Amino acid sequence: MQPVNEMNLEFPSRSVNEGFARTAVACFAAQLDPTIDELNDIKTAVSEAVTNSIVHAYPGKIGPIHIRARIFEDRSIEIVVKDKGIGIPDIEQAKKPLFTTGNEERSGMGFTIMDSFTDKLVVRSRPGYGTTVKMLKKMLPFAGLK
Amino acid sequence: MNLKIYEKEAGMEIYMEGELDHHGAKDTMRRINSAIDASMPQTCVLDMSGIGFMDSSGIAVVLGVYRRMEEVSGSMRVRNVPVQAKKVFKAAGVDRIVDFE
Ligand SMILES: Nc1ncnc2c1ncn2[C@@H]1O[C@H](COP(=O)(O)OP(=O)(O)O)[C@@H](O)[C@H]1O
Ligand SMILES: [Mg+2]
């Protein structure tokens, strides 16, 4: 399927960019005329993915985070969040609820939330090279007519 | 995160206002914890009606308050949780641990 529209965003892994990133993607997704709930789901999933790149990918330093969002004719959006950080050695383990390598301010529920707030979640990672999180969400039909 | 902390006879009430994400979570937690430590209330109510957005960082904050209140032998409740934040709590099963009004 060919995308109808696409946007790319790159920013440094500073925590102040968490709000910027989720809002920017939500603004782009607004072209699909989503419901408020659908928009909030997108915001939440993006916030989790971006926060992970900020918190876990570049320990003790700042590195680049890239987001690509594409929308398709079937009213779906694909969001890819990519970093060039330390990577995840065991993705299955990382995705388990409550698993975290972070401190007490992390809950270990990020991947669980990304999974339940989107229709599809694909995580690819290579230790030493980085992590790519791809999420797909399809808006309900005729949202604009509600 | 804007916090308004009131000490009432019935216990402590904390009104949270803003977006609760990782960026502000640490500072939010620190401010709530020091308020609890200073007055050791019997109960603590977190009013989340002013939360415009929350991700899993909010789970850590709420569970942190829950644990802190247990440490001082008190209890806590969460009140007026907006739809988006409620969905995050539910997806994580927090509603089975913490008392939501
Ligand atoms: N972009 C990333 N780079 C490196 N490690 C990551 C990344 N994303 C997730 N992880 C690893 O996966 C674990 C689980 O992530 P998550 O479910 O979001 O929980 P949390 O962020 O609360 O730790 C993290 O603790 C971390 O070890
Ligand atoms: Mg996370």
Side-chain angles (χ1 to χ4, degrees):
Chain A
M1 214 184 338
Q2 283 295 311
V4 187
N5 201 359
E6 169 172 344
M7 75 99 162
N8 286 271
L9 205 62
E10 193 164 295
F11 51 89
S13 59
R14 298 184 196 283
S15 66
V16 69
N17 287 326
E18 290 159 10
F20 161 69
R22 64 176 174 261
T23 308
V25 175
C27 281
F28 181 69
Q31 290 175 19
L32 289 172
D33 201 9
T35 63
I36 299 278
D37 286 347
E38 287 168 338
L39 215 49
N40 277 334
D41 288 354
I42 292 168
K43 256 191 180 177
T44 312
V46 170
S47 195
E48 294 298 343
V50 168
T51 300
N52 276 354
S53 293
I54 287 171
V55 174
H56 306 295
Y58 304 106
K61 59 176 191 174
I62 298 292
I65 299 174
H66 186 272
I67 299 180
R68 181 184 73 182
R70 299 192 295 172
I71 56 182
F72 297 91
E73 223 164 284
D74 67 349
R75 306 190 70 237
S76 65
I77 184 166
E78 177 207 77
I79 302 153
V80 181
V81 179
K82 198 177 194 161
D83 65 59
K84 293 178 178 161
I86 58 168
I88 303 173
D90 184 341
I91 294 173
E92 281 321 301
Q93 180 191 45
K95 281 167 119 179
K96 288 211 173 91
L98 300 178
F99 178 85
T100 181
T101 54
N103 52 20
E104 82 284 346
E105 62 181 75
R106 308 306 321 146
S107 64
M109 296 306 291
F111 281 127
T112 305
I113 286 165
M114 285 180 247
D115 196 45
S116 67
F117 281 56
T118 61
D119 298 318
K120 196 177 173 193
L121 169 71
V122 182
V123 184
R124 290 213 178 83
S125 193
R126 202 173 147 208
Y129 288 87
T131 302
T132 303
V133 172
K134 182 155 114 182
M135 296 178 287
L136 228 109
K137 185 160 181 82
K138 195 169 169 175
M139 307 309 128
L140 286 173
F142 310 120
L145 300 178
K146 271 179 206 159
Chain B
M1 174 68 43
N2 190 13
L3 293 178
K4 290 199 187 88
I5 303 178
Y6 300 101
E7 291 191 48
K8 302 195 171 166
E9 228 173 289
M12 181 174 276
E13 283 187 10
I14 302 175
Y15 291 80
M16 307 176 82
E17 233 176 70
E19 305 215 321
L20 184 46
D21 62 7
H22 155 261
H23 179 62
K26 207 177 194 165
D27 183 58
T28 301
M29 230 177 207
R30 187 186 52 74
R31 283 188 288 159
I32 294 178
N33 282 342
S34 64
I36 292 174
D37 289 353
S39 67
M40 310 265 274
Q42 292 245 291
T43 64
C44 176
V45 176
L46 278 185
D47 190 300
M48 300 190 77
S49 53
I51 295 289
F53 173 86
M54 187 194 91
D55 64 17
S56 71
S57 310
I59 296 172
V61 170
V62 168
L63 289 181
V65 177
Y66 177 80
R67 263 180 251 120
R68 198 61 152 225
M69 285 306 294
E70 275 198 328
E71 280 164 22
V72 300
S73 305
S75 65
M76 73 97 81
R77 279 173 296 142
V78 182
R79 176 169 87 187
N80 296 332
V81 185
V83 179
Q84 184 270 336
K86 190 63 159 277
K87 196 168 171 183
V88 171
F89 283 130
K90 274 211 162 141
V94 180
D95 53 327
R96 279 173 278 158
I97 304 167
V98 175
D99 200 1
F100 287 92
E101 274 180 22

